[in-house]
Amino acid sequence: MKKSIISLTATLFILFTGVRAEEISYFFDPSIRFDRAIPSPETFLGYKLGTRVTEHHRILDYYEKLAALSDKAKLIEIGQTYEHRKLRVLIVSSAENIRQLDAHKAARKPVRNGERVETPLIVFLGSTVHGNETSGAEAALLSAYYFVAAQNEEVTKELEETVIFIDPVRNPDGQERFASWVNSNASFFTDNTSAYDREHTEGYPRGRGNHYWFDLNRDWVTIVHPESKARVALYQDWLPHAQVDHHEMGANSTLFFEPTDPEGNESRYVPKANYKLNALFADAYSKAADKIGSLYYTKESFDNKNPNFGSTYPDYNGAVGVLVEQGSSRGIRQESENGPLSFAFTVRNQLVTSIATVDAAFANKGALLDLQQEFFGAKADKAAKAFIVGDNHDRSRLEAFIDLLLAHRLEVYENPEDVTVGENRYGKGKSYLIPADQPNRALVGVIFDEAKDYADPAKLGYGAGFSVVYSTGLSYDKVAGKKRGNRITSLAGRTSPAFSRSEYAYLIDYRDSRSQQLLFRLLEKGIPVKVASRPFSIRTDEGLRDFTYGSLLIPVRNQNQTLTSEQLYTELLELSSGTGVEIVSVATGYNVKGADLGSSTFRALSQPKALVVTGGNISSTEAGEVWHLFDQKLHYPLTRVDAGTFPRTPLNRFNRIILAGGDYSFLGKQEIEALKGWVRNGGVLITINSASRWAISNGLTSAKLQSARADTTRRAAPSAGDFFRERIPTSVFETEIDLTHPLAFGLTTPKLPVLRESNLFLAPLQGSGTVSVYTESPLLNGYLPETALNTLKGSASILSERQGSGGIVLFAEDPLFRGHWDATTRTFVNAVAFGGIGSGRYW
């Protein structure tokens, strides 16, 4: 009878809890006692961790439960994703610290002044910025449980002196996509351990990227996406002492944690004390991994310079940033060179490194405080220069860059006077000063980076050119002794100037970046628009105005116009207000200088009907950049056609086809001939990066690849590192663009910085088909092997070729790189907008 009662009790326990109590011991030392009032993740979720991928929303459900049950936890919302998933962070500390959170945050403000602030340690634990690297997110369930519910003296002491921010899923949209894939493809009674099984080979676009398929672990400095904006704001509010970023790598790898390879992977802008602390944290990680018998390695790989990573951004902000990489099961269980790799095993490794991060921070509190004080409190160099940056015509692009600097809490000042530096003129009210020697001089340094003196390119890591200012295409210079205006902490809201109703025409200066969105919205509404292919001057209500290449003309009375003048005026008022773009009313077509408004030099624009090919082995990142541009920046429809569907797609329904980089071998001879015919009949084909190589190889263009030019440099015998020395890591180069060409409309200077990371070289075309070329000294920031220099200089960056009634535009690089390379984004937008105009050199 007694045995039956015990059995019944056990059965009831299992029914009410969903799991056996002892099962949590796989992840924790059995000696750890937990508060019985706090349910474990397995109890709450109703399944063993590691048997399925826990969806982001279920992780947040558990966090809500913890915050409701414990005064040691608080759940905050910092933003939302594109798909409106909540970005929530669990804060764990002692009950007293939780009550004093606002006071602690306020007390940390003097850190930026170089003061040593004795607040509790601030530690950020982040996971799953790549949505299909989910072991970190599962571990975040367990680490939250540990710090909230563990009842031992060590945890109690740590929480008294540490505030822990647990960000379980930094890419919720991608994580939910991956969770759905694995959970819907996992078997219930057998393990699908083959690497070729459907469970482990998720379909396009995979869960790594966010909604638009972007890699969010390349966005900490450039801040393109809402997830990044929210996290950088939280980071800058608190300025943590340490941040760990949990990732996954190939199944045959073990566990990696920093330090990285010290040779070539340490930034010139980061204090040496930072990297020394990496070794102290590694000591804690190694002990934790040794205790559970997990293999690991350090000091062999991974880039520690690129500031856009979650593990390196802290380094440029006075904190210790740590990368943890775990070999991935990419599902529940997968074969590997080290034997079967289970999801639960990967979760446990991530868990022990999370706990060890807090242990290491607590043990090295003094050194972390010293590091922040050294970083922000370095003695100012009064002779240091400032950067002046401006644009006299593109207010939108300039303000976007200033907003970016302010998001990082950098010092920015108004320029109170007109300044001329060389060929660049910086107007009062149209330019700003950024001191080089300010508290966060490291982040300023890398944003304005011009380094190209890498002694050993074999140690470059993922990239070498990290400059952000080049990506804007804005003019900038280093200046000294310039008077500063008021310091700005925010920019005033944008309003468009009022304009009167016209019975003749309206004009738009296309040099303002926001005019691109306005143009596409006009075209979508079917409002006739023409573009100027020559400069002109005309009298307006405000006096004489000069307009340049690409200026937009909207006639009021047009044979195709269906709107009355009053209706058109109402539409334009709404568009101007929505975009902040100035629209100018004119009462006459007679110009003071240049062609009149009725001249054939004003070319009528057709409504683009654009298609981008996706799927297969096409770069989801590059295709996603196109989608993001159309949807988020242009607010214009784009059709995304899967590679398997494209051969059956009626091409005559579109007049623009975009091929991102990737493998197009799925197109046979018949499909290629159909594509050629579509171009001859008026279509515009736009190819990006490796797609340009494919177009050339398959005869869609007469363009050729640039032949390698002889390297006259005397070279030593080949060595083991030559492969790395000959590659082109992510770097910035200078090109010169023809400002009279439609693809350059809106640009104000012929010097156009581009970013490249490939060995694709395009030969210039004869005549006017070469839109831009690399200069004779092309390297601006990063690295270029000597063998590539002779081939690159003088080669083409952008080509345009007329074919029948249509044409093809070839980009040697990715003009939309990571959604922030505004310098070249305009040329891509122009290819879509102006790709079909006129004849001859303008097509």
Side-chain angles (χ1 to χ4, degrees):
M1 183 67 178
K2 184 177 180 181
K3 183 176 181 181
S4 298
I5 292 174
I6 294 173
S7 176
L8 176 61
T9 301
T11 302
L12 289 173
F13 178 81
I14 293 170
L15 287 173
F16 281 109
T17 63
V19 294
R20 298 182 186 275
E22 65 269 16
E23 287 174 351
I24 203 75
S25 66
Y26 175 74
F27 299 105
F28 295 108
D29 188 314
S31 66
I32 298 175
R33 294 182 298 107
F34 291 94
D35 185 346
R36 292 184 180 181
I38 306 297
S40 72
E42 296 186 347
T43 299
F44 180 83
L45 296 168
Y47 54 84
K48 293 173 60 177
L49 292 187
T51 61
R52 60 176 281 120
V53 177
T54 305
E55 296 87 347
H56 167 255
H57 69 275
R58 292 291 285 143
I59 295 174
L60 295 191
D61 288 344
Y62 180 64
Y63 279 12
E64 285 184 358
K65 189 68 172 179
L66 292 180
L69 293 176
S70 175
D71 58 2
K72 293 190 291 185
K74 180 177 181 179
L75 189 61
I76 62 171
E77 182 174 336
I78 61 173
Q80 292 189 355
T81 70
Y82 287 114
E83 297 177 19
H84 300 291
R85 291 187 172 90
K86 294 179 179 179
L87 300 170
R88 305 188 79 176
V89 175
L90 186 72
I91 307 175
V92 183
S93 190
S94 68
E96 178 60 22
N97 283 336
I98 293 296
R99 283 191 291 270
Q100 296 296 322
L101 277 177
D102 289 342
H104 289 321
K105 183 165 70 171
R108 292 194 55 71
K109 289 182 179 179
V111 168
R112 295 184 194 279
N113 301 326
E115 295 184 25
R116 186 184 179 90
V117 177
E118 296 285 347
T119 62
L121 284 170
I122 309 298
V123 177
F124 278 24
L125 306 179
S127 304
T128 313
V129 69
H130 296 144
N132 54 8
E133 299 176 6
T134 54
S135 59
E138 303 285 330
L141 286 163
L142 293 161
S143 60
Y145 175 59
Y146 174 78
F147 287 114
V148 169
Q151 296 180 315
N152 60 51
E153 186 177 349
E154 180 182 5
V155 172
T156 300
K157 287 182 177 179
E158 288 181 341
L159 296 185
E160 287 174 352
E161 298 189 33
T162 311
V163 180
I164 307 166
F165 290 70
I166 307 177
D167 191 351
V169 180
R170 285 180 158 166
N171 178 8
D173 293 348
Q175 193 266 359
E176 291 267 5
R177 197 160 62 237
F178 177 70
S180 176
W181 178 272
V182 172
N183 293 338
S184 63
N185 285 289
S187 297
F188 295 108
F189 296 103
T190 58
D191 289 331
N192 304 318
T193 60
S194 171
Y196 304 102
D197 186 84
R198 181 176 173 83
E199 178 186 331
H200 308 297
T201 54
E202 58 179 318
Y204 194 94
R206 295 168 287 280
R208 180 181 176 90
N210 71 347
H211 175 77
Y212 291 102
W213 313 338
F214 277 70
D215 186 337
L216 292 178
N217 200 40
R218 305 295 188 275
D219 198 38
W220 277 84
V221 173
T222 49
I223 322 181
V224 173
H225 304 284
E227 299 93 335
S228 306
K229 292 175 183 176
R231 290 202 172 84
V232 168
L234 179 70
Y235 189 101
Q236 292 296 334
D237 279 347
W238 283 93
L239 284 181
H241 298 89
Q243 171 168 281
V244 64
D245 205 28
H246 291 269
H247 289 257
E248 291 181 355
M249 49 187 169
N252 292 324
S253 299
T254 57
L255 171 67
F256 172 86
F257 47 81
E258 295 193 33
T260 56
D261 183 350
E263 296 298 323
N265 276 304
E266 296 182 354
S267 171
R268 72 192 71 206
Y269 300 109
V270 175
K272 291 295 183 182
N274 182 291
Y275 298 118
K276 291 179 180 179
L277 272 164
N278 278 151
L280 298 178
F281 275 65
D283 185 58
Y285 297 139
S286 62
K287 289 177 180 177
D290 289 342
K291 187 174 181 180
I292 60 173
S294 287
L295 297 175
Y296 55 87
Y297 71 100
T298 64
K299 303 182 291 293
E300 291 183 31
S301 54
F302 296 106
D303 186 355
N304 213 357
K305 300 189 304 300
N306 189 333
N308 271 300
F309 300 153
S311 59
T312 53
Y313 182 74
D315 298 341
Y316 292 87
N317 284 275
V320 171
V322 179
L323 172 67
V324 173
E325 291 268 0
Q326 168 62 48
S328 176
S329 61
R330 278 299 192 275
I332 307 307
R333 191 176 180 86
Q334 184 180 162
E335 288 294 338
S336 76
E337 292 178 357
N338 300 305
L341 179 62
S342 72
F343 189 30
F345 176 84
T346 68
V347 172
R348 186 172 64 166
N349 280 351
Q350 299 276 28
L351 171 63
V352 299
T353 52
S354 294
I355 295 173
T357 297
V358 178
D359 293 344
F362 180 73
N364 295 282
K365 180 177 180 178
L368 290 170
L369 294 175
D370 289 344
L371 173 64
Q372 275 198 339
Q373 186 176 27
E374 176 190 350
F375 184 89
F376 289 106
K379 187 176 180 180
D381 179 3
K382 294 183 179 180
K385 295 182 178 180
F387 296 98
I388 187 169
V389 59
D391 194 296
N392 292 324
H393 305 287
D394 194 346
R395 174 184 169 190
S396 298
R397 185 168 45 156
L398 175 60
E399 289 183 349
F401 181 59
I402 298 304
D403 274 332
L404 177 71
L405 299 178
L406 296 177
H408 294 295
R409 316 290 168 89
L410 298 176
E411 293 181 9
V412 180
Y413 296 85
E414 294 175 338
N415 174 30
E417 57 190 6
D418 292 343
V419 175
T420 299
V421 183
E423 298 179 353
N424 296 325
R425 179 180 175 275
Y426 299 95
K428 174 184 177 181
K430 298 179 180 179
S431 54
Y432 297 88
L433 290 161
I434 300 92
D437 191 40
Q438 57 177 287
N440 195 341
R441 55 184 59 78
L443 197 54
V444 172
V446 78
I447 286 174
F448 288 88
D449 192 26
E450 295 179 342
K452 45 190 175 183
D453 54 340
Y454 292 94
D456 188 355
K459 304 291 186 180
L460 283 174
Y462 297 142
F466 308 120
S467 171
V468 177
V469 68
Y470 280 131
S471 73
T472 68
L474 296 166
S475 298
Y476 85 97
D477 282 287
K478 296 176 186 176
V479 293
K482 296 299 179 183
K483 180 181 177 182
R484 298 178 187 174
N486 295 325
R487 180 178 176 181
I488 61 171
T489 55
S490 63
L491 293 174
R494 180 87 177 255
T495 57
S496 55
F499 62 98
S500 61
R501 174 177 161 184
S502 173
E503 296 296 331
Y504 191 83
Y506 300 93
L507 295 170
I508 298 170
D509 188 336
Y510 190 61
R511 290 174 293 188
D512 189 305
S513 292
R514 291 193 188 182
S515 63
Q516 297 169 93
Q517 182 191 123
L518 191 148
L519 169 60
F520 275 79
R521 293 177 69 179
L522 287 169
L523 293 174
E524 185 180 16
K525 289 176 177 289
I527 297 174
V529 184
K530 291 187 173 185
V531 62
S533 62
R534 296 287 188 276
F536 63 95
S537 301
I538 191 170
R539 295 195 184 281
T540 71
D541 293 344
E542 305 299 323
L544 186 67
R545 286 283 297 267
D546 295 325
F547 289 86
T548 188
Y549 299 98
S551 297
L552 304 178
L553 166 66
I554 306 168
V556 174
R557 305 191 185 280
N558 186 292
Q559 60 184 2
N560 297 322
Q561 189 78 37
T562 58
L563 300 176
T564 66
S565 63
E566 182 176 356
Q567 290 172 328
L568 176 61
Y569 179 59
T570 301
E571 289 278 7
L572 294 180
L573 279 175
E574 181 181 346
L575 290 173
S576 176
S577 175
T579 59
V581 174
E582 179 186 17
I583 296 179
V584 179
S585 303
V586 292
T588 177
Y590 186 71
N591 287 340
V592 174
K593 184 169 63 177
D596 296 324
L597 298 189
S599 167
S600 61
T601 60
F602 287 85
R603 311 298 176 89
L605 300 178
S606 61
Q607 185 181 59
K609 298 175 182 177
L611 174 157
V612 64
V613 184
T614 66
N617 290 317
I618 295 167
S619 168
S620 60
T621 301
E622 292 184 13
E625 291 164 356
V626 176
W627 177 22
H628 177 264
L629 170 72
F630 273 78
D631 195 33
Q632 287 291 320
K633 296 184 178 180
L634 300 180
H635 298 181
Y636 192 81
L638 170 73
T639 300
R640 296 156 294 153
V641 175
D642 188 79
T645 305
F646 184 68
R648 306 189 302 274
T649 302
L651 301 185
N652 58 5
R653 296 188 181 182
F654 304 91
N655 55 21
R656 307 286 190 274
I657 292 177
I658 301 161
L659 302 183
D663 180 3
Y664 291 87
S665 60
F666 61 89
L667 295 178
K669 183 176 180 181
Q670 182 176 346
E671 289 81 19
I672 292 174
E673 289 302 316
L675 196 55
K676 291 178 180 179
W678 173 83
V679 171
R680 289 193 297 271
N681 288 328
V684 177
L685 180 65
I686 303 170
T687 61
I688 298 172
N689 213 336
S690 61
S692 297
R693 185 192 301 272
W694 175 85
I696 292 171
S697 300
N698 286 275
L700 279 89
T701 171
S702 65
K704 305 293 182 183
L705 298 178
Q706 178 87 309
S707 300
R709 295 173 180 170
D711 178 15
T712 58
T713 305
R714 185 175 181 179
R715 299 179 59 78
S719 66
D722 277 354
F723 169 78
F724 297 99
R725 293 183 178 89
E726 300 309 314
R727 71 187 178 96
I728 299 179
T730 307
S731 298
V732 185
F733 299 90
E734 183 181 68
T735 66
E736 187 165 349
I737 193 166
D738 176 4
L739 291 177
T740 69
H741 197 284
L743 296 188
F745 283 174
L747 296 175
T748 57
T749 175
K751 301 299 184 183
L752 183 64
V754 303
L755 186 140
R756 72 154 43 219
E757 49 187 5
S758 75
N759 288 303
L760 172 65
F761 305 108
L762 301 179
L765 285 171
Q766 296 296 319
S768 60
T770 302
V771 182
S772 66
V773 297
Y774 285 88
T775 61
E776 288 299 300
S777 299
L779 183 61
L780 294 174
N781 177 220
Y783 170 74
L784 180 68
E786 293 178 1
T787 52
L789 175 60
N790 288 332
T791 305
L792 183 64
K793 60 185 182 183
S795 69
S797 174
I798 308 173
L799 298 174
S800 69
E801 181 181 39
R802 182 172 178 80
Q803 296 181 8
S805 300
I808 180 170
V809 177
L810 300 98
F811 289 91
E813 312 83 20
D814 175 5
L816 307 179
F817 186 77
R818 303 206 186 283
H820 75 88
W821 207 265
D822 294 337
T824 48
T825 293
R826 180 179 282 274
T827 61
F828 179 89
V829 171
N830 288 349
V832 177
F834 307 137
I837 65 174
S839 59
R841 72 188 254 53
Y842 302 107
W843 55 263

